[in-house]
Amino acid sequence: MSQQPYAPRPQDPRPRGGTPPSGAPPYPRHRPPRPPATSDLRLLLRLTVASFVLAVLGGAVGLLAAPGQLTGVPVGPAFDTFVLVGSLVLGFGVTAGLYALVYFPLREQRQWAWILGIALASMALLSTLANAALLLVGPAGASPGLVTGALKAVVDVAWLVVAVRPGVRAALR
């Protein structure tokens, strides 16, 4: 029996409780290598950016096309401007955050971003169709909103079609 009952075994490359050898990671990484990005995945990423641009453009067109929407408490034009700018910044910030939540992990080929993207694209398509129905019922001067809404609906449908292609699924892990 040895004097040190808990001494490391000879085949153990590093002693227990000690630091790892220089140049070695602190813990082993057993991640499989990422599959190569396919052309379908790259197309899906481009459609994500196009959908974001159309969402921002649609918001801007909606704001410019309907300037009389801001009716509320008659406090004054400064307060109305403050509320309008604040809601625009908040709305565009949330929109950018949701698109970033899909785009960047999808670029890293994360499967959960693909699932989230399908859910968000489906909800965006439904809300675009609901907004189009409301614009058709509303005043006749809302045609720019219909054009951007139609373009956004086309891009969202294309996103959903490309998302279910086998090339996208092959690139995700």
Side-chain angles (χ1 to χ4, degrees):
M1 186 152 191
S2 73
Q3 296 290 347
Q4 298 176 353
Y6 298 109
R9 296 180 188 168
Q11 71 267 15
D12 197 4
R14 54 183 189 184
R16 291 191 181 166
T19 59
S22 63
Y27 54 89
R29 297 184 127 183
H30 296 293
R31 284 190 187 160
R34 231 187 277 172
T38 60
S39 61
D40 288 337
L41 182 63
R42 289 189 292 274
L43 176 61
L44 192 65
L45 291 170
R46 286 192 293 269
L47 285 172
T48 304
V49 171
S51 180
F52 172 68
V53 168
L54 285 173
V56 170
L57 182 67
V61 165
L63 174 72
L64 295 175
Q69 285 184 356
L70 190 63
T71 59
V73 181
V75 177
F79 180 75
D80 290 346
T81 304
F82 177 74
V83 169
L84 179 66
V85 169
S87 64
L88 281 175
V89 168
L90 182 66
F92 288 144
V94 168
T95 301
L98 289 174
Y99 276 98
L101 192 59
V102 171
Y103 178 81
F104 291 110
L106 195 60
R107 189 178 67 180
E108 295 295 320
Q109 298 172 331
R110 305 287 185 191
Q111 187 173 10
W112 64 265
W114 174 75
I115 295 168
L116 180 65
I118 288 176
L120 291 177
S122 300
M123 288 189 298
L125 182 61
L126 289 175
S127 67
T128 301
L129 293 176
N131 285 337
L134 290 175
L135 284 175
L136 288 174
V137 173
S143 62
L146 285 174
V147 171
T148 58
L151 288 173
K152 174 111 173 58
V154 167
V155 170
D156 287 341
V157 167
W159 197 99
L160 289 169
V161 167
V162 171
V164 297
R165 286 186 181 170
V168 172
R169 295 286 300 184
L172 300 174
R173 54 179 155 109

